[in-house]
């Protein structure tokens, strides 16, 4: 399947989404397994802030982050 007008073949079922948190989750799992005693903190600005807030809301108390600071987090429209 190709994207109309772009001539690019789609190779994944997941299109770009600013709310996609799996990359962050995978990175945090890797770091926490490699360095199990290291406290992990998150900081994000703008789109990065959105990803962190969404990740925290999805994982809740199971989050691998001890704390996070987000700045310029744009609210998603409902």
């Amino acid at each position: 399947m190709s994207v109309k007008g772009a001539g690019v073949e789609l190779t994944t079922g997941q299109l770009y989404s600013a709310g996609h948190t799996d990359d962050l989750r995978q990175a945090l799992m890797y770091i926490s397994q490699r360095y199990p005693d290291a406290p992990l903190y998150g900081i994000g600005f703008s789109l990065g802030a959105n990803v962190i807030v969404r990740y925290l809301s999805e994982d809740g108390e199971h989050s691998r982050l001890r704390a996070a600071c987000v700045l310029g987090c744009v609210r998603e429209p409902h």
Side-chain angles (χ1 to χ4, degrees):
M1 177 178 165
S2 65
V3 177
K4 186 174 182 169
V8 177
E9 185 175 336
L10 292 178
T11 59
T12 180
Q14 172 65 43
L15 299 177
Y16 171 78
S17 171
H20 193 61
T21 57
D22 284 347
D23 290 343
L24 174 59
R25 188 174 292 101
Q26 288 295 328
L28 291 171
M29 284 175 38
Y30 174 79
I31 294 167
S32 64
Q33 287 173 357
R34 176 122 177 157
Y35 305 100
D37 296 328
L40 301 178
Y41 299 91
I43 185 166
F45 176 76
S46 191
L47 179 56
N50 267 11
V51 173
I52 289 176
V53 167
R54 185 165 185 144
Y55 163 76
L56 291 171
S57 70
E58 290 171 355
D59 285 28
E61 65 185 40
H62 302 290
S63 166
R64 303 212 181 233
L65 294 177
R66 180 175 286 184
C69 176
V70 296
L71 305 166
C73 185
V74 179
R75 185 175 163 261
E76 291 184 16
H78 293 210

